[in-house]
Structure formats: structure tokens, C-alpha cells
């Protein structure tokens, strides 16, 4: 996945740009190499069912790492802050939601933005807290 991101950012040439101030390292393994220090983490989270009176189950935030992969079960609540509003992330059967983390956002000089998101409970859907 990290190589695919490098490819998407056109980091496949073997030489660096002549303007090193504005260019990312052009190695296709640039992001992979940044993970070679045994500094990875994996967390498993589960949000239990909520009743209609439950507010935000996880406050708005962006993830601190590189990537977050989310497997969803069709139960609503995951929202992303897009164009000044909270928008429900649609469920796609068998799909994986990929959030860009703050570290990857910094490594790409903000070309990829960290995803501000939350898990809204039924009582907070549509309420803006940003």
C-alpha cells in the first residue's frame, strides 16, 4: 500500500528533482523505508451498538500515524469532515476505508491531507462540533 501511494504521488523515478526544497524523495520505497525501524503499531477497535440517546462515540480527530484501515459492518456513525460539514462515510460491502494519518500528511508536505473524522452516535448525527 505504501508503494502504491508513492506511485500515485509520481515518486517512481530513480533520481531526485533538481529542486530539492519542493520535491519529495523519488524512491518508490520512500514510505516503506520510513517504517523499517520497528516503529509500527496496530490497534483493533470495536464500537459497540448504541441507542438513540448516544452522542459522539469518538470525538473528532485525525489519526496520528501513517494510515488507518477501517473495516465496517454497515452500522452508521463514521463521519468525515469535508468542505466544512460532517458527512457520513458510505458503507460499501467488502470495502475498506483508508484514512490518511498526520504523519503521512507531513511526509507528503500536505499533498495528502490527514482525515478529520469522528464516530457519531444517533443523537449527534448532523451536529457540527468543529
Amino acid at each position: 500500500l505504501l508503494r502504491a501511494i508513492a506511485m500515485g504521488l509520481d515518486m517512481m523515478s530513480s533520481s531526485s528533482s533538481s529542486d530539492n526544497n519542493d520535491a519529495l524523495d523519488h524512491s518508490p520505497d520512500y514510505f516503506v523505508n520510513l517504517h523499517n525501524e520497528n516503529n509500527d503499531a496496530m490497534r483493533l477497535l470495536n464500537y459497540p451498538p448504541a441507542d438513540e440517546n448516544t452522542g459522539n462515540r469518538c470525538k473528532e480527530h485525525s489519526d496520528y500515524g501513517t494510515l488507518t484501515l477501517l473495516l465496517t459492518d454497515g452500522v452508521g456513525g463514521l463521519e468525515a469532515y469535508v468542505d466544512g460539514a460532517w458527512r457520513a462515510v458510505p458503507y460499501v460491502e467488502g470495502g475498506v476505508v483508508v484514512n490518511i494519518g498526520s504523519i503521512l500528511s507531513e511526509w507528503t508536505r500536505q499533498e495528502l491531507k490527514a482525515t478529520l473524522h469522528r464516530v457519531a452516535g444517533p443523537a449527534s448525527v448532523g451536529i457540527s462540533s468543529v
Side-chain angles (χ1 to χ4, degrees), residues 42-59:
M42 181 167 70
R43 300 182 310 152
L44 301 175
L45 303 174
N46 177 50
Y47 295 98
D51 65 31
E52 66 278 352
N53 297 317
T54 302
N56 279 344
R57 297 160 67 197
C58 183
K59 293 237 176 235

Side-chain angles (χ1 to χ4, degrees), residues 54-128:
T54 302
N56 279 344
R57 297 160 67 197
C58 183
K59 293 237 176 235
E60 60 270 357
H61 66 284
S62 62
D63 297 329
Y64 60 85
T66 308
L67 295 171
T68 298
L69 306 177
L70 301 164
L71 305 175
T72 61
D73 58 5
V75 175
L78 180 61
E79 297 180 337
Y81 196 69
V82 180
D83 297 328
W86 288 106
R87 303 186 191 279
V89 175
Y91 171 69
V92 177
E93 186 173 350
V96 177
V97 177
V98 179
N99 281 341
I100 302 299
S102 296
I103 290 175
L104 185 57
S105 186
E106 289 299 315
W107 286 344
T108 64
R109 298 188 181 109
Q110 309 294 317
E111 188 167 342
L112 300 176
K113 305 282 190 241
T115 310
L116 183 62
H117 60 284
R118 69 181 185 181
V119 179
S124 63
V125 172
I127 297 173
S128 180

Side-chain angles (χ1 to χ4, degrees), residues 16-54:
S16 299
S17 169
S18 59
D19 185 0
N20 288 330
N21 292 330
D22 294 329
L24 291 171
D25 178 337
H26 285 337
S27 165
D29 289 321
Y30 177 71
F31 299 122
V32 172
N33 293 337
L34 291 172
H35 286 82
N36 282 341
E37 298 178 11
N38 296 321
N39 58 0
D40 300 334
M42 181 167 70
R43 300 182 310 152
L44 301 175
L45 303 174
N46 177 50
Y47 295 98
D51 65 31
E52 66 278 352
N53 297 317
T54 302

